[in-house]
């Protein structure tokens, strides 16, 4: 018998779109690398290299690849939900929705909650022992920040069924509606000065990118051989790039596609129309590379590498900041000099820092990878019925997903610093603490689990 990765790779169905798996791994890897490169750590705190060297900000047009991950998510969610629908008993759409949420949230929340609980206990012990200052305090604030991505992704999962129905009815029109809503929000924000309206674009921008994944699932982004298959991705890439450049050049949008300290406007938080156009060009660009990538992934060794990476990608994403800050902490503890960011000495030291961060991430992945393994599928059998106690309830599952979403987003904002002082952060104008955010996430997950479990035929 071969290794589990080899067995899994060799069992891959011929119909599987391997390029989607590559995009998933590559987009998360780009985010990790971007975070490691942008961190400008000094004994006084953590800054942003892009603020130190503004000339590097155009690199964010390559390294800000979260739109690609959300695009891939739309593709995967469409296939997954449709597969469950084909297996459902007649009249049990509610139970299918609950089973869909349970299956998707398990893969996200199992490794996430382990990360949260480990760091929560560590933060409490550190602060009880009188620590929490210097780089340690910064770490307690920063390590949860990437959880915003988990929160947004949870929202995409929850909205998949209704938005998929809109897609099936209107096709490109559903995407155009979301994109138009994102543009309208920016007009109200920048031209009319309407307060708080910009937060709606957390939904409109990212769900519009997600909708492109539905279009890909139906072959509407260009399929088949020849130049005709490249026409639509080329138009998407070219049009998105031109629009993004124009918005940045002539509009109120900053150059960087990630948030910058001190800037009045961020393209990321909340997302802007410029970021949506950036996402369009990225989606078009990766679709143009589909054919050569497919030929590469037909090679067994290349595909085994993607399978292995895909099995630990979320764990690596969750722990990569822990590893990076751990490397800097070790350097400070060992009195290793930290050069001023962007100096020649700093750049010379960068490959070594990246190598140690990658090695420590690998150690953390080895320790926690088991929690990323998929649980038993929640697909209801063809003769299954929901239990009388309310199992399979779509409203219960939706409530659980909402609690998870708010909890994870709240934790990404408040972090673990100041636990004993009751530190809070504002989430949609509501103060939220780390314990409250963790409790909301756990309660939400339990609700989704209860709603998504089904029994066989009685």
């Amino acid at each position: 018998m071969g290794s589990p990765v080899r067995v899994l790779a060799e069992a891959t169905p011929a119909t599987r779109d391997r390029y989607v798996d590559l995009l998933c791994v590559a987009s998360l890897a780009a985010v990790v690398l971007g975070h490691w490169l942008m961190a400008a750590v000094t004994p006084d705190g953590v800054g942003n290299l892009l603020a130190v060297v503004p000339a590097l900000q155009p690199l964010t047009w390559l390294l800000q690849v979260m739109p690609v991950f959300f695009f891939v998510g739309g593709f995967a969610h469409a296939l997954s939900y449709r597969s469950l629908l084909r297996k459902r008993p007649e009249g049990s759409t509610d139970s299918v929705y609950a089973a869909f949420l349970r299956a998707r949230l398990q893969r996200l929340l199992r490794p996430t909650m382990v990360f949260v609980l480990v760091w929560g206990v560590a933060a409490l012990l550190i602060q009880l022992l009188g620590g929490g200052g210097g780089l340690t305090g910064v770490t307690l604030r920063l390590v949860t920040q990437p959880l915003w991505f988990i929160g947004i992704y949870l929202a995409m999962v929850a909205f998949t069924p209704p938005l998929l129905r809109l897609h099936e009815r209107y096709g490109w029109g559903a995407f155009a509606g979301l994109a138009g809503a994102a543009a309208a929000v920016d007009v109200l924000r920048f031209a009319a000065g309407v307060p708080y309206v910009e937060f709606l674009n957390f939904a409109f921008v990212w769900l519009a990118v997600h909708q492109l994944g539905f279009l890909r699932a139906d072959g509407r982004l260009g399929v088949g051989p020849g130049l005709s298959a490249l026409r639509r991705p080329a138009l998407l890439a070219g049009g998105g790039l031109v629009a993004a450049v124009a918005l940045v050049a002539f509009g109120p949008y900053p150059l960087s596609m990630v948030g910058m300290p001190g800037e009045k406007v961020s393209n990321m938080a909340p997302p802007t129309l410029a970021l949506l156009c950036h996402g369009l060009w990225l989606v078009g660009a990766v679709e143009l590379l589909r054919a050569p990538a497919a030929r590469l992934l037909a090679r067994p060794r290349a595909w085994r590498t993607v399978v292995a990476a895909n099995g630990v990608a979320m764990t690596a994403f969750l722990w990569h900041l822990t590893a990076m800050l751990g490397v800097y902490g070790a350097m400070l503890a060992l009195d290793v000099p930290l050069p001023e960011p962007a100096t020649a000495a700093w750049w010379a030291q960068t490959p070594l820092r990246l190598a140690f961060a990658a090695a420590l991430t690998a150690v953390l992945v080895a320790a926690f990878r088991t929690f990323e393994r998929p649980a038993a599928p929640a697909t209801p059998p063809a003769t299954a019925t929901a239990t009388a106690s309310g199992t399979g309830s779509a409203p219960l599952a939706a409530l659980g997903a909402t609690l998870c979403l708010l909890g994870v987003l709240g934790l990404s904002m408040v972090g673990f610093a100041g636990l004993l002082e009751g530190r809070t952060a504002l989430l949609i104008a509501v103060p939220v603490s780390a314990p409250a955010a963790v409790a909301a996430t756990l309660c939400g997950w339990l609700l989704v689990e209860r709603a998504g479990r089904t029994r066989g035929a009685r």
Side-chain angles (χ1 to χ4, degrees), residues 44-384:
D44 299 323
V46 180
N48 191 319
L49 178 65
L50 300 177
V52 179
V53 189
L56 294 177
Q57 291 182 19
L59 289 177
T60 62
W61 289 53
L62 295 175
L63 292 176
Q64 171 49 287
V65 293
M66 274 305 182
V68 175
F69 191 90
F70 293 147
F71 161 66
V72 168
F75 175 86
H77 296 159
L79 296 187
S80 176
Y81 187 70
R82 286 169 172 171
S83 175
L84 285 172
L85 281 176
R86 287 193 294 269
K87 299 173 184 177
R88 84 190 195 282
E90 286 299 323
S92 65
T93 305
D94 277 8
S95 66
V96 171
Y97 178 69
F100 170 74
L101 281 185
R102 178 177 183 250
R104 307 308 293 187
L105 264 62
Q106 276 185 337
R107 182 71 185 270
L108 284 172
L109 289 182
R110 289 176 75 219
T112 299
M113 292 313 301
V114 169
F115 169 82
V116 166
L117 293 176
V118 169
W119 259 113
V121 171
L124 186 59
L125 289 175
I126 289 170
Q127 291 169 68
L128 284 173
L129 294 173
L135 185 61
T136 301
V138 173
T139 298
L140 294 178
R141 291 195 303 272
L142 288 183
V143 289
T144 64
Q145 285 188 1
L147 294 181
W148 74 266
F149 150 75
I150 305 289
I152 297 297
Y153 201 78
L154 288 172
M156 292 178 174
V157 171
F159 280 108
T160 287
L163 289 179
L164 189 57
R165 287 193 291 272
L166 284 177
H167 160 75
E168 290 166 348
R169 182 169 182 179
Y170 298 108
W172 278 96
F175 164 78
L178 288 167
V185 164
D186 274 12
V187 170
L188 292 173
R189 175 187 181 183
F190 295 116
V194 177
Y196 304 115
V197 70
E198 63 267 26
F199 294 105
L200 291 174
N201 268 350
F202 276 112
F204 293 141
V205 168
W206 291 128
L207 290 176
V209 175
H210 190 248
Q211 206 79 7
L212 291 173
F214 296 166
L215 291 161
R216 189 189 195 279
D218 286 350
R220 299 192 188 185
L221 290 187
V223 293
L227 293 177
S228 60
L230 302 178
R231 187 175 299 119
R232 191 162 288 169
L235 289 173
L236 200 63
L241 183 59
V242 169
V245 170
L247 288 171
V248 168
F250 303 109
Y253 305 98
L255 173 63
S256 174
M257 289 298 162
V258 301
M260 297 297 301
E263 284 193 333
K264 293 182 179 180
V265 176
S266 165
N267 280 319
M268 270 291 294
T272 63
L273 182 61
L275 183 65
L276 175 56
C277 293
H278 168 70
L280 294 183
W281 101 258
L282 281 180
V283 168
V286 297
E287 283 297 285
L288 288 172
L289 297 174
R290 186 199 302 195
R295 290 192 292 271
L296 172 65
L297 294 173
R299 301 175 182 176
R301 181 175 296 180
W303 177 234
R304 284 196 301 269
T305 301
V306 172
V307 170
N310 213 17
V312 299
M314 187 56 61
T315 303
F317 174 78
L318 287 167
W319 291 97
H320 78 279
L321 281 187
T322 301
M324 180 198 76
L325 293 166
V327 169
Y328 278 108
M331 293 173 67
L332 289 173
L334 296 172
D335 291 325
V336 176
L338 286 181
E340 281 296 314
T343 61
W346 188 90
W347 285 112
Q349 196 186 69
T350 295
L352 192 60
R353 291 197 309 270
L354 294 182
F356 279 118
L360 185 50
T361 300
V363 171
L364 292 168
V365 165
F368 296 108
R369 64 179 297 177
T370 185
F371 300 101
E372 193 170 347
R373 292 174 184 166
T379 305
T383 56

